[in-house]
Amino acid sequence: MKRLPGIEQFKNARTRMVARDVEEAGVTEPQVLEALRAVPRHAFADKALEFQAYGGHALPIGHGQTLSQPYIVGRMTELLALTGEETVFEAGTGSGYQAAVLGLLAKTVYSVERLPELARRANRLLSDLGLANILVAAGDAYHGWDRYAPFDRIIITAGCSAIPKPLLDQLADPGILVAPVSADGEKQELIVVRRSAGVDTRIRAGECRFVPFIATEGPDADPERESRASTSL
Ligand code: SAH
């Protein structure tokens, strides 16, 4: 697996985190565990919280948003069943940490973040790490990214009340989509959509807790926000 800069720093803490907070919690796919050991999570945390980056919990990254817990990143990545050949779409770049993990395990990653400042920050961090197969854009991921669709895999990393229809339209066949969905606006559940020969099968893969998906259209639309098209950084 690609060796990323910064990997020697906090190496023991990171190895411990992966064993204790991810593997023991039930993520078993060796490639996913290796990718989590290979990404310097501290680089995605705010400088002041760097020392907390291997505590196994979610971390604030400003603007009320979070860098996801390593377990859920591992779990969702495992559910995507990547072989290295896939194009992946991520809705909700946030810190860019999940995108970095995907970047090590897939061919290309397209990630869209609605807050331009976070998109810029993630883009910079990912290029500093030399992850040239990840493209970040600022915009509303509700609409996916038409230009690069269809995607073999889609991951939504913010809690939505229903899977956005444009994202289902941009999922390839065969394809897998993983998303935290909350039907009642409270409890979120990971939903996995497996598409094969024109048929979608949905399975539930456990509870989770993400910050809300805020879109310009659909059931999670925030009427106070204007529509913004995705713009590559
Ligand atoms: N994958 C991230 C976790 C992100 S938290 C990580 O590894 O750090 C969820 C992110 O989704 C937030 O940054 C939030 O701003 C973003 N988000 C919420 N609704 C969105 C939308 N409609 N389009 C794009 N990004 C969205």
Side-chain angles (χ1 to χ4, degrees):
M1 193 162 293
K2 193 175 159 79
R3 275 184 67 81
L4 302 179
I7 196 66
E8 291 308 320
Q9 229 186 330
F10 303 114
K11 196 172 179 176
N12 294 340
R14 187 167 49 253
T15 305
R16 268 200 307 277
M17 175 192 81
V18 174
R20 178 196 62 213
D21 301 310
V22 185
E23 196 171 4
E24 262 184 48
V27 175
T28 56
E29 170 55 42
Q31 287 283 94
V32 172
L33 298 170
E34 196 184 336
L36 291 169
R37 281 189 292 265
V39 176
R41 190 169 189 262
H42 61 273
F44 295 89
D46 283 349
K47 200 82 190 138
L49 298 176
E50 207 180 65
F51 70 102
Q52 288 187 30
Y54 297 107
H57 43 75
L59 287 171
I61 51 170
H63 309 275
Q65 308 305 325
T66 52
L67 193 174
S68 306
Q69 205 196 337
Y71 166 72
I72 202 72
V73 172
R75 176 81 178 124
M76 290 175 88
T77 307
E78 181 172 67
L79 288 167
L80 289 176
L82 296 165
T83 66
E85 295 303 313
E86 297 81 6
T87 57
V88 183
F89 178 78
E90 180 189 30
T93 319
S95 67
Y97 175 67
Q98 170 79 71
V101 172
L102 296 170
L104 291 178
L105 297 170
K107 188 162 107 200
T108 320
V109 180
Y110 301 93
S111 185
V112 173
E113 166 58 48
R114 64 175 272 267
L115 299 171
E117 263 180 62
L118 287 182
R120 272 195 295 275
R121 177 182 179 273
N123 191 48
R124 195 184 55 240
L125 289 169
L126 294 166
S127 45
D128 287 352
L129 289 176
L131 286 163
N133 61 337
I134 306 174
L135 206 58
V136 178
D140 181 5
Y142 176 84
H143 302 286
W145 203 339
D146 239 350
R147 182 167 171 198
Y148 299 107
F151 301 102
D152 303 308
R153 304 288 187 264
I154 295 180
I155 175 170
I156 305 177
T157 64
C160 44
S161 53
I163 297 168
K165 177 155 187 317
L167 295 186
L168 284 170
D169 291 344
Q170 291 179 19
L171 182 66
D173 185 353
I176 303 175
L177 178 151
V178 179
V181 179
S182 168
D184 61 3
E186 284 181 29
K187 247 201 203 152
Q188 292 174 5
E189 241 185 336
L190 280 184
I191 301 292
V192 184
V193 180
R194 289 210 184 94
R195 179 168 295 171
S196 177
V199 178
D200 284 2
T201 313
R202 288 188 186 220
I203 61 157
R204 299 164 161 210
E207 274 186 39
C208 56
R209 201 166 53 179
F210 280 86
V211 294
F213 186 74
I214 302 170
T216 51
E217 266 180 59
D220 294 309
D222 178 343
E224 295 187 2
R225 285 169 212 279
E226 294 164 23
S227 170
R228 267 197 234 113
S230 296
T231 40
S232 288
L233 296 176

